[in-house]
Structures are given as structure tokens and as C-alpha cells.
Amino acid sequence: MTPPRVSVHRARRRFTALTVLALVSTFALPVLSASPAAAATPLRTLAAAKGKFIGFAAATSPLANEAAYRTIAQTEFNQITAENAMKWDATEPSDNSWNFSGADQIVNFAVANNQAVHGHTLVWHSQTPGWVQGLGATAMRTAMQDHITTLVGRYASNTALQSWDVVNEVFEENGSFRSSFWYNTLGQSFIADAFRYARAADPDAKLCINDYNVEGINAKSTAMYNLVQSLRAQNVPVDCVGFQGHLATQYGFPSDLQQNMARFAALGVQVRVTELDVRILTPRTSAKDTVQAQYYTNVVNACLAVTACAGITIWGFTDKYSWVPDTFPSEGFALPYDSSYAVKPAYTAINTALGGSPNNDTQAPTTPGTPTASGVTSSGVTLSWTASTDNVGVSGYDILRAPGTSGGSFTQVGTSTSATFSDTGLSANTSYRYQVRARDAAGNTSAASSAVTVTTTGGGTGDTQAPSTPGTPTASGVTSSGVTLSWTASTDNVGVSGYDILRAPGTSGGSFAQVGTSTTTSFSDTGLSASTSYRYQVRARDAAGNVSAASSAVTVTTTGGGTGGGCSVTAAVQTQWSGGYVIQPVTVTNTGTSAISSWTVTFTLPSGHALVGQWNGVITVSGGTGTAKNANYNGALAPGQSTTFGFQVSRPSSDNSTASGFTCATP
Ligand code: G2I
């Protein structure tokens, strides 16, 4: 169950003595000093390469007055949301009296820096002047139309202005409509009207509904899901859903964020994270920084994993200007830069998750495998090795060489961006040792690998000694379509360069044909028929092309394939309340040995329980039985593969039972 969170827009509080104390004690902690990210690839470059935006909420005063703020704003971000300057109280403080100074300032900055603007926000219960709140129904609807028409119209032809939050925070936590002056005066029709007025004023802008505490799948997000589905069914122009993302480390990460985004995406809308910040309980410590950084990583990863996620807006970027301490007195430090504009681990996390390798990465790549030599001639050799891995990716390898079979020292003779390298210009009949080490983009280097010794062939005469015969292969991992073979290595005077794998059909007779090669002493063969026997042999080659005798054969029989796959199902009660519950995720797994293309889950609904929402499946209820069939995009499951769906149920408030008896069948 989602932990209760404090409303994100409580009345702004004065800067308290407690807050100041917390700040002072933090500055005393030298362990937290961060370094500037001078050489890191900017977030906007990385995000653009992934087809996403990365933005921030801009405050007008530092944007006008602080060079350090402006530099980060234009270097790191390709999208801007006005934190306050486009809200109703800022733009139309009294009826038809307009002030666009802050809004224009932000749009002009964005145009100058090739950034997209997200307009925030047209219809909200907060920061709306008293003159609107006191109107009767007819006048209030007219005021709403005028406000939307004028404000959206002002920027409609400006290509920087690409999207608007049309309605903001229209739900209570339990999924009912918020009892705002809008709802209480106009009923829910104000929502559809607001979208229609906005579409009329700017036919090209993406029109969004935005809210907080809807990051995970819960009663509130399901209410939003149902509303978006029903509005779109009525041709109301809802194009996009904004998940604010005001997260707090003490409440845990909404681990179903990606899944939640995906169910909205399946409705055909764009999704985005609109106001991301991750607050921690003061005082700040490096351990809390690490947890916070992980939350940022998780959000970026979720957006990257969902094609319909257009991008992420961070609610500010520096702890110097954040709404958090004013609203939550013992919380703060929610943003990726500290109050001196130094990057925090959260910045590194975002940069890294977007594919960057920021320069405060200190993790070295893993040590590459020992090189193996092939293609040895009298003057050259080709080396190959098992690749290294690294948190920000391996950028290349250094190749080191020492003379002779021992002694001497290793010096670098080349570099490679792949796990192979050919060295040339060697002397005939001479031994060399080679090592490789990996580098990452931040310049960290791994340890050097173990060395391989290579002896070039004699110029002219040539090596004629064949490798020894490999051991009889042993089979493991036998499935209906494949097998893994391993064998004892051959030895050779100039080194074994690889093995040929030979296969014959059946348990006897037929002839052996080569089906693959390996530079190691194992090989996985695939594409076999179920319930069928094969024999395998291997033979070794050296660099001069000498081939060993073939090993003895091993006989392998694949397992039975079966035809229809089976499936299993598990279901979890994700959250419940008096009057309802959410079953999420219902996980369907293909337990068979072949692919399935559809599945059917049945379950029992206690009497008086009614389905009120569903996602990622097609559920019908008859009597007390629910039948869920796959949606058109999640019926196909490979053996072992799983998918999930979910649904929401209402029930009598006196009843705390839930749906049960889940069974799965194919098709
Ligand atoms: O509450 C956090 C956000 C939740 N979602 C909607 C967002 O629009 C909202 O942003 C915050 C701003 O970050 C604050 O900066 O909205 C607050 C208003 O509800 C903003 O606070 C206001 C103060 O209440 C005013 O006293 C102040 O004059 O900021 C104004 C400008 O600094």
C-alpha cells in the first residue's frame, strides 16, 4: 500500500530557524563537498540522443540575476517549465488585467537557448486569485475560457511553447474528484471544457493532465487513468499525462512507475515526469545522497523504458531555490545541484542513466579476459579477449607487449575499441607476451589482464606441428532445441587458435559436418529439433593452420518440445481501502517449453464486488467469475517469459474480502 504522503502544496511557510540550523550543520560536513561537472557531457545532449527531453522548472529571479544559474540552465537542459510565472495569479491577477513579464522572460530565454517550454498551469485550485474563486457558474466558465484563450493564444505561434498543463491536481488521494472551487461550482465538466478551450487556442500544443502521488498504480492514478480513457472516448483533446514526481526517500520508491506509465501509454497518450524532485530528511548525509541518486536513476530508467515517455522535468535544479524546505520544514536537498551550484550524486546518477560518463565517475572497468592469439604468422598476430564491463561503458582497450617469454617490461603498442587487435611488424621465430587493459570514458583504467605468450612462426619454413586431440566433449544444458558442449583443451607448440565443432545426425551413421567454431573450450549449439539425437566431435587448430585429429564423439538427445505451452498466474493485492482494492500485478508466466500467443486467467469475485478499472488485459465478469484475456500487445510469451495486468474493484464497505482463485490457461 502506498504510504500516506503530505500534500505537496501546503501553504508556504516562512523560513524557520530550524531550517537554517539544518543548513548550517550540513555545510560543516566536508564529506559532502561535490566537484563541478566541467567535463561531463551535458544532460540535454545525452537526453536528445535518447529522443527525450530533460528540463527544469525556472524561477524568474535567479534566471534574471545569477550568471551561475543561467549557465547551468542553458547548458544542461533542453526544456523549461515556469515554476510560478505562468500561473493564474501571476498572469491575470485581476479580471482581464494581464502581466506576461515573467512568462515572456522564460519563453524568451528558451527560444534563445533552443529549449522547449511546457506551460504550467491553466486550471488549478491553488494560486488562482480570489476574484475567480468567488464567481458563479456561468461567469466562472467564461473567466476560465478567457484566461485559457488569452494565455495559450499568446504563445500559440511560438514553436518553443510545445505543451500545457491544462488541468492540475483534480483528484483526491482516494480517487474521487477534488472538492475544489472549480469542481464545486462547475462539476467535472470544467475538465473537458478546459481541454477544448486550450485546443481551440493552440491546435498544435500537447495538452496534459497533471497530478502528484500518481507515480505508482494506486486508487488516485487509476481514477486518472479511467478519466483519461473516458475523456478520449468522448473526443476530448487530452494528449498527455504528467506525473509530477515529488518523491521523498522516507516513503520508498514507487517501483511500479514504469508499469504505470506503460498502462497510460497504452491509452495512446504521451506521458512525462513533470516536477521531479527527491527530498530527504535533514540533515543531509552522503548515505542519503546515495539513496536519492538511486531514485533519480530509477525515474530516468523508467522514462527510457517507455517509448511514450517524452522526458523529465526536474522541479528546479539547485537546492538554493526549492519549494521543499518552505513546505516541509525538516526536509530538503531534493535537487541535483547543491546551493553553491556544485553537482551532487543525483546529477551523476541522471547523467549516467542517460548514457553519460560524468567525470566524477571513479569506477574502473573490470579486468579483460586473457587474450587468445590467432592468425600467428612470422610477423604478426591477432589477439581477442573477453570484453570488460563498466558502469558507464567501456570506451576502449590498451594493448601492452613485453619481449620474450619472461622478464622485460610491458609497453603499450596500440589501442582498440573492440575486443580484438592485430599486431604487426614482429620478428620471425620470436616470442612476445601480450596483456590488455580497459578504459572507460571518464579515463578510469582496469587492471591489466593476464599475459598470453605468442611465438611467431619461422619465416619461410612454417610450423607443421598439429595441436593435441581435444578431450571428448561433455554435454550440458540440454533443451528441446540446444546443447552446450565443453571439452578439455588441446595444447600446441605455437598455441591453439581455436576449435572446429562437428556434428552428425542420429546415434550412428551419417557424416560429421562442421557446425561452428569456438576460441574457447565450450560451444552452444542451437536450432536443434526436439526429441532428436546428434553426435558431436571437436578438433583444434593452431595459428599456422595445423589441425588436430577429431575428438571422440558424444551423443546428445534433445528433450521433448511439447506443443501448447502451459501458464501459471500469481496475483497481489496492491492496495485496499474501505470500499475497494487494486489487484496489481497479476503476473502470467509461460511455464511451457514453447511460445504461447494468448492466455486466459479466471478468478472469483465475491458477491457485491464490481470491476471499476482494468489495464493491460481485457476483463469480463459474469456471475461471480472474472475472465481476463490478454491485450493485443501482451499475449505472446516465450517459454519462461511473464507479463502483468491489473484491475480495480469496488466492494461493500463492510466487506474486506478480495478477488481470489486465480487460474491460468492457454489459449
Ligand atoms: O507545490 C509544489 C508544486 C506542486 N505541483 C504544482 C506546482 O505548481 C507546485 O509548485 C510550487 C512552486 O514550486 C512554489 O514556488 O507551487 C507553489 C504554490 O502552490 C509555489 O509557491 C509559491 C508560494 O506559495 C508563494 O508564496 C510565492 O510567492 O511561490 C511563490 C513565488 O515564489
Side-chain angles (χ1 to χ4, degrees):
M1 179 158 167
T2 309
R5 293 193 209 167
V6 183
S7 162
V8 291
H9 42 78
R10 272 202 257 154
R12 187 182 171 100
R13 298 213 183 142
R14 296 238 166 252
F15 210 64
T16 60
L18 186 68
T19 316
V20 173
L21 268 180
L23 286 166
V24 168
S25 65
T26 298
F27 288 151
L29 280 175
V31 64
L32 291 169
S33 66
S35 50
T41 305
L43 303 180
R44 63 181 293 171
T45 310
L46 299 168
K50 303 268 185 195
K52 310 283 180 187
F53 69 75
I54 183 81
F56 74 105
T60 51
S61 168
L63 196 65
N65 301 320
E66 282 189 52
Y69 185 98
R70 268 197 304 277
T71 300
I72 294 171
Q74 63 203 17
T75 306
E76 296 288 339
F77 300 101
N78 56 11
Q79 185 273 335
I80 304 188
T81 302
E83 185 176 2
N84 288 299
M86 291 190 183
K87 290 174 179 173
W88 197 315
D89 62 350
T91 51
E92 193 187 6
S94 55
D95 193 1
N96 206 26
S97 161
W98 292 89
N99 180 352
F100 297 114
S101 58
D104 284 354
Q105 178 200 342
I106 284 169
V107 173
N108 292 341
F109 183 89
V111 169
N113 293 293
N114 193 24
Q115 294 162 316
V117 177
H118 177 65
H120 173 80
T121 178
L122 297 171
V123 179
W124 190 24
H125 61 277
S126 180
Q127 282 181 289
T128 304
W131 71 265
V132 183
Q133 304 193 29
L135 298 173
T138 304
M140 188 180 288
R141 202 179 299 276
T142 303
M144 180 175 88
Q145 182 172 17
D146 289 348
H147 183 77
I148 291 173
T149 304
T150 303
L151 185 52
V152 174
R154 180 175 181 84
Y155 303 107
S157 61
N158 189 321
T159 53
L161 199 324
Q162 293 184 359
S163 51
W164 279 99
D165 284 330
V166 177
V167 299
N168 194 34
E169 304 173 3
V170 300
F171 291 107
E172 305 282 5
E173 298 301 290
N174 68 2
S176 61
F177 282 113
R178 180 188 290 274
S179 156
S180 67
F181 69 89
W182 291 113
Y183 182 77
N184 294 338
T185 310
L186 298 173
Q188 74 174 87
S189 67
F190 83 90
I191 298 172
D193 282 351
F195 277 98
R196 292 185 173 118
Y197 298 150
R199 175 67 95 229
D202 183 349
D204 301 322
K206 288 249 184 271
L207 304 180
C208 308
I209 179 170
N210 190 48
D211 217 320
Y212 61 89
N213 286 356
V214 292
E215 293 73 28
I217 295 180
N218 54 39
K220 191 176 187 181
S221 66
T222 298
M224 192 172 182
Y225 176 93
N226 290 336
L227 177 66
V228 171
Q229 187 172 44
S230 114
L231 289 173
R232 286 173 59 85
Q234 298 164 68
N235 291 322
V236 176
V238 181
D239 306 315
C240 135
V241 171
F243 306 90
Q244 291 186 6
H246 293 293
L247 305 179
T249 56
Q250 72 268 30
Y251 298 133
F253 188 80
S255 55
D256 47 4
L257 170 63
Q258 179 184 325
Q259 209 166 19
N260 192 32
M261 284 183 163
R263 71 167 169 158
F264 278 93
L267 292 177
V269 290
Q270 182 192 80
V271 296
R272 42 174 70 202
V273 179
T274 50
E275 305 183 14
L276 179 62
D277 51 19
V278 182
R279 59 188 190 268
I280 61 175
L281 294 170
T282 57
R284 183 183 166 205
T285 64
S286 29
K288 292 178 192 173
D289 274 5
T290 303
V291 175
Q292 175 185 65
Q294 185 64 51
Y295 278 44
Y296 276 101
T297 297
N298 294 350
V299 173
V300 173
N301 286 344
C303 184
L304 291 177
V306 176
T307 308
C309 181
I312 297 171
T313 308
I314 303 168
W315 206 238
F317 58 81
T318 164
D319 289 335
K320 187 172 183 181
Y321 302 109
S322 167
W323 70 290
V324 171
D326 295 349
T327 304
F328 304 100
S330 54
E331 300 175 45
F333 307 107
L335 294 167
Y337 289 81
D338 72 10
S339 53
S340 308
Y341 297 108
V343 296
K344 294 161 60 181
Y347 173 89
T348 309
I350 300 166
N351 192 295
T352 304
L354 288 172
S357 42
N359 68 347
N360 45 2
D361 169 48
T362 55
Q363 186 174 323
T366 60
T367 307
T370 310
T372 56
S374 63
V376 181
T377 65
S378 61
S379 65
V381 60
T382 296
L383 304 167
S384 329
W385 54 90
T386 305
S388 299
T389 58
D390 185 69
N391 60 324
V392 300
V394 172
S395 58
Y397 296 89
D398 298 335
I399 291 81
L400 312 173
R401 191 180 70 202
T405 55
S406 67
S409 59
F410 282 88
T411 57
Q412 188 172 332
V413 293
T415 60
S416 172
T417 54
S418 68
T420 168
F421 178 79
S422 293
D423 197 21
T424 55
L426 305 178
S427 305
N429 267 328
T430 306
S431 295
Y432 301 88
R433 280 162 297 148
Y434 288 94
Q435 295 178 319
V436 289
R437 68 178 170 224
R439 295 187 169 279
D440 71 13
N444 299 302
T445 48
S446 75
S449 70
S450 300
V452 62
T453 302
V454 174
T455 304
T456 53
T457 56
T461 57
D463 167 46
T464 56
Q465 185 177 324
S468 64
T469 307
T472 310
T474 56
S476 63
V478 180
T479 66
S480 62
S481 65
V483 59
T484 297
L485 303 167
S486 324
W487 56 89
T488 307
S490 299
T491 56
D492 185 72
N493 62 324
V494 298
V496 172
S497 57
Y499 297 88
D500 299 336
I501 291 82
L502 312 172
R503 189 178 74 202
T507 55
S508 65
S511 61
F512 282 89
Q514 186 170 332
V515 292
T517 61
S518 172
T519 56
T520 69
T521 54
S522 78
F523 178 78
S524 292
D525 198 20
T526 56
L528 305 178
S529 305
S531 299
T532 304
S533 295
Y534 300 88
R535 283 163 294 148
Y536 289 94
Q537 296 178 321
V538 290
R539 67 181 172 219
R541 295 186 170 276
D542 71 11
N546 300 302
V547 182
S548 75
S551 71
S552 300
V554 63
T555 302
V556 174
T557 304
T558 54
T559 58
T563 44
C567 62
S568 68
V569 59
T570 61
V573 180
Q574 193 224 37
T575 179
Q576 53 181 313
W577 57 95
S578 162
Y581 55 93
V582 172
I583 304 283
Q584 161 71 28
V586 187
T587 305
V588 177
T589 304
N590 178 352
T591 53
T593 50
S594 58
I596 60 175
S597 57
S598 61
W599 44 262
T600 306
V601 168
T602 54
F603 54 91
T604 304
L605 267 188
S607 85
H609 290 220
L611 194 69
V612 294
Q614 53 172 288
W615 48 92
N616 298 338
V618 180
I619 306 180
T620 52
V621 178
S622 167
T625 301
T627 302
K629 293 195 171 289
N630 56 277
N632 60 10
Y633 51 85
N634 65 359
L637 296 176
Q641 196 187 354
S642 297
T643 189
T644 65
F645 68 98
F647 57 92
Q648 184 171 336
V649 175
S650 68
R651 66 183 172 194
S653 55
S654 57
D655 180 357
N656 58 10
S657 66
T658 57
S660 62
F662 288 81
T663 59
C664 188
T666 57

